[in-house]
Amino acid sequence: MTRHPTDHPQFYLTAPAPCPYLEGRQERKVFTHLIGQHASALNDVLTQGGFRRSQNIAYRPACEDCKACVSVRVRVRDFVWTKSFRRHLKLGQELVGARLPASPSAEQYDLFRSYLLARHETGGMAEMSVLDYAMMIEDTHVETMVIEYRRRGPDSFLTGAGEGPLMGVALTDQLADGLSMVYSFYDPDVSGLSLGTFMILDHIQRARQMGLPYVYLGYWVDGSPKMAYKARFQPQEQLGPNGWAISSPDK
């Protein structure tokens, strides 16, 4: 029987490019395509091996002289709900996250642009057009969802959705062993709710309810201030040369 060619994925290496996290360094990535009927299974295996997904591409750093990028995942069952996290969760109780198909909208894109202009104006995604955004959301062959966060309304307990303006969005893959937060963004003008932290906490709760052991947060980058927040969510595992191991909470 002839098997689909994606049973044997081909891997490629990018040319050196400026590192988006550490000034003065160069990055290289190894990547492959996530397409066809086995894309979800391949995404599971590669995510467990330290890859991240972007559209129908799975990639991981392959820098020769730098190992700063480390894959991290939160241990859901053992997660430590500190006083700070409980406070964030309580503040976010006025929000409802509705799980939706991976479909873009004009409202999402407007929020995405506001977020980038406020938080990542000089980043590589700053010039993304509405078409680029649509591709980021819907160009996928794996099990993906969009979670839209809005304020809780009087009918939210019936509809499972919030009401009013869109306040946050998470593009999330459902894996065999967890939820992988591919990309998230939120209203930069909302104060007092710590929306970025709340969305991670909400994913930890969702994974626990679904019986999934992990929430994958992507890369923690040693020396990058904008990635330092990921170390707060403990206990977490980091992927090293000998596999996944519990990290030190003081990082």
Side-chain angles (χ1 to χ4, degrees):
M1 181 177 66
T2 301
R3 304 191 71 182
H4 196 283
T6 55
D7 285 355
H8 306 284
Q10 300 295 309
F11 291 85
Y12 308 90
L13 187 64
T14 65
C19 176
Y21 302 113
L22 300 175
E23 188 175 355
R25 299 194 190 184
Q26 297 283 299
E27 70 164 1
R28 300 190 78 178
K29 296 176 181 176
V30 61
F31 70 94
T32 190
H33 296 278
L34 292 170
I35 56 176
Q37 60 180 328
H38 301 293
S40 287
L42 180 59
N43 190 38
D44 280 354
V45 172
L46 292 179
T47 301
Q48 292 163 9
F51 281 71
R52 293 288 286 166
R53 185 181 71 82
S54 177
Q55 297 177 219
N56 61 11
I57 297 291
Y59 68 90
R60 67 170 296 172
C63 307
E64 295 179 1
D65 302 318
C66 180
K67 304 298 181 184
C69 293
V70 180
S71 293
V72 297
R73 63 188 187 186
V74 180
R75 292 167 61 105
V76 170
R77 179 174 296 180
D78 304 323
F79 181 68
V80 177
W81 289 92
T82 64
K83 289 183 179 180
S84 175
F85 286 147
R86 292 186 185 278
R87 183 169 62 252
H88 287 307
L89 198 64
K90 185 175 181 179
L91 289 172
Q93 286 180 346
E94 63 181 276
L95 302 179
V96 176
R99 175 174 175 165
L100 304 170
S103 180
S105 71
E107 188 180 19
Q108 290 174 16
Y109 180 69
D110 288 343
L111 183 61
F112 175 71
R113 292 299 306 161
S114 297
Y115 173 78
L116 290 181
L117 290 174
R119 299 299 178 96
H120 303 285
E121 187 175 6
T122 60
M125 303 176 75
E127 300 302 321
M128 285 179 62
S129 67
V130 64
L131 179 58
D132 294 329
Y133 174 79
M135 292 295 287
M136 181 179 80
I137 299 296
E138 65 185 2
D139 187 9
T140 176
H141 292 244
V142 305
E143 188 170 355
T144 309
M145 69 189 87
V146 165
I147 302 177
E148 290 191 347
Y149 294 89
R150 303 176 192 271
R151 292 193 183 275
R152 187 178 302 275
D155 297 327
S156 293
F157 72 101
L158 291 174
T159 65
E163 299 179 0
L166 187 61
M167 299 183 67
V169 174
L171 177 64
T172 303
D173 289 348
Q174 183 169 336
L175 309 175
D177 68 346
L179 298 177
S180 176
M181 298 185 70
V182 177
Y183 194 77
S184 60
F185 54 93
Y186 51 86
D187 188 337
D189 296 325
V190 173
S191 60
L193 292 181
S194 298
L195 290 170
T197 297
F198 172 76
M199 286 194 286
I200 294 176
L201 297 176
D202 181 63
H203 275 69
I204 292 171
Q205 286 193 314
R206 288 172 183 269
R208 186 179 183 88
Q209 291 167 359
M210 297 167 71
L212 299 172
Y214 301 111
V215 171
Y216 289 82
L217 297 182
Y219 300 117
W220 170 76
V221 184
D222 191 8
S224 173
K226 61 184 177 181
M227 289 294 171
Y229 72 93
K230 295 183 181 182
R232 297 169 52 213
F233 299 89
Q234 295 287 338
Q236 67 177 230
E237 296 179 2
Q238 295 186 350
L239 182 60
N242 298 316
W244 292 96
I246 295 180
S247 70
S248 171
D250 58 357
K251 287 187 176 180

